[in-house]
Amino acid sequence: PSTEPMLRIEGLSAWYGEAQALRSVDIEVQEGEIVTLVGRNGAGKTTLLRCVTGLHIGRNEGRVSFLSQDVTKQAVHKRTRRGLGYVPDDRGIYATLSVEENLTLPPRVGPEPWSLDRVYETFPRLKERRRFPGTKLSGGEQQMLALARVLRMGARLLLCDEPTEGLSPLIVQQIGDILREVKRQGVTVLLIEQNVHFAATVADRHYLLAEGRVVESLDNDAMKAREGELLQHLGI
Ligand code: ATP
């Protein structure tokens, strides 16, 4: 069996003008895993996801490989077609369109596009809300829609920028259930998470980032054992 990770990031550095946001980051994600990036505001987490998707606008160095192919210089749409799905922190849904239009409008270009039925089975709340415009959705429903849309497009790896930000504890739990269900259905997840406790309830492994560097890599047992300490250390 191949041990090549689904996503391999090697020596990744990134800049905004003169300011360096990432410093030789190495990260691997195996197919089927949920992995979190944990760290304070400004640690470089969003920049990292944007380098993986091709959306980073500044200079970068290093290598991003996805499914054994070097995608470092590939255009965003080619990475999407290969199965990278990005869920930005602003969720990026169309406010004036209905839930169903939001789901059906984007092209199903990825390797494993979901049918609308499969989306509604996995996200029953979205089925109930399917005629609602984006503006009438709660924060949690918007987050579900953003995740569902990328799955419908055919992503094999979800890159999620803080899916739980600003959501109430009950809704955070629901997002956790959805991420676990999505994993059960064979999708891999790399997510930014400031909520250390939540991270430990959903993920298999974790990377801690500080000032653009990976300062630690932890399995979930280590994360659980050190939750309190890490909370203090990160100040989040
Ligand atoms: P957050 O959770 O606040 O998004 P983060 O860990 O995702 O934090 P980044 O957004 O990746 O961190 O930011 C890393 C560094 O790059 C920070 O010092 C930030 O100020 C800087 N930075 C981010 N975006 C830009 C930009 N568009 N122009 C200039 N500097 C930026």
Side-chain angles (χ1 to χ4, degrees):
S2 158
T3 53
E4 181 66 17
M6 183 183 226
L7 179 72
R8 186 199 290 274
I9 300 170
E10 294 166 288
L12 184 66
S13 296
W15 289 260
Y16 294 95
E18 294 295 301
Q20 189 166 3
L22 291 176
R23 298 168 189 274
S24 199
V25 167
D26 295 322
I27 279 177
E28 289 182 358
V29 179
Q30 304 292 335
E31 181 155 20
E33 281 189 310
I34 299 182
V35 174
T36 71
L37 303 170
V38 179
R40 292 186 192 208
N41 285 334
K45 307 178 298 296
T46 298
T47 305
L48 194 145
L49 290 194
R50 292 176 67 88
C51 285
V52 173
T53 55
L55 290 165
H56 178 64
I57 34 131
R59 185 162 72 88
N60 66 78
E61 275 175 9
R63 203 163 116 111
V64 178
S65 311
F66 179 57
L67 296 170
S68 304
Q69 190 180 76
D70 185 346
V71 300
T72 318
K73 306 280 179 218
Q74 255 184 19
V76 176
H77 71 275
K78 289 204 176 132
R79 302 189 206 199
T80 308
R81 240 186 260 152
R82 199 151 171 82
L84 283 172
Y86 183 48
V87 186
D89 53 359
D90 67 3
R91 293 160 190 153
I93 62 176
Y94 303 108
T96 55
L97 299 183
S98 71
V99 165
E100 193 149 302
E101 286 165 336
N102 266 281
L103 286 169
T104 53
L105 198 69
R108 303 171 74 215
V109 292
E112 279 172 29
W114 286 25
S115 67
L116 200 55
D117 283 348
R118 183 172 173 193
V119 168
Y120 284 151
E121 273 165 34
T122 308
F123 300 83
R125 187 71 184 167
L126 294 181
K127 187 173 187 184
E128 288 168 26
R129 292 275 187 253
R130 67 187 188 278
R131 308 272 169 241
F132 279 54
T135 44
K136 290 273 198 273
L137 300 179
S138 69
E141 289 163 351
Q142 287 182 13
Q143 185 59 53
M144 288 176 199
L145 178 55
L147 287 165
R149 192 173 56 175
V150 170
L151 292 167
R152 185 157 193 283
M153 288 173 71
R156 290 185 59 185
L157 171 61
L158 288 185
L159 304 157
C160 306
D161 196 337
E162 271 206 270
T164 63
E165 190 181 12
L167 303 181
S168 69
L170 184 67
I171 309 299
V172 168
Q173 256 184 43
Q174 289 176 13
I175 299 291
D177 292 342
I178 283 170
L179 290 174
R180 280 184 287 264
E181 171 60 19
V182 161
K183 170 183 161 158
R184 199 191 60 77
Q185 294 193 38
V187 178
T188 308
V189 182
L190 176 61
L191 76 148
I192 292 178
E193 194 47 72
Q194 301 244 24
N195 181 336
V196 173
H197 178 70
F198 175 74
T201 64
V202 291
D204 302 294
R205 289 192 304 113
H206 313 268
Y207 290 95
L208 302 188
L209 270 77
E211 294 170 8
R213 288 193 175 84
V214 172
V215 291
E216 275 195 73
S217 154
L218 305 167
D219 67 21
N220 204 37
D221 288 340
M223 181 71 153
K224 279 187 174 141
R226 294 175 52 195
E227 227 177 81
E229 174 211 334
L230 290 171
L231 262 175
Q232 284 223 317
H233 169 70
L234 293 165
I236 53 181

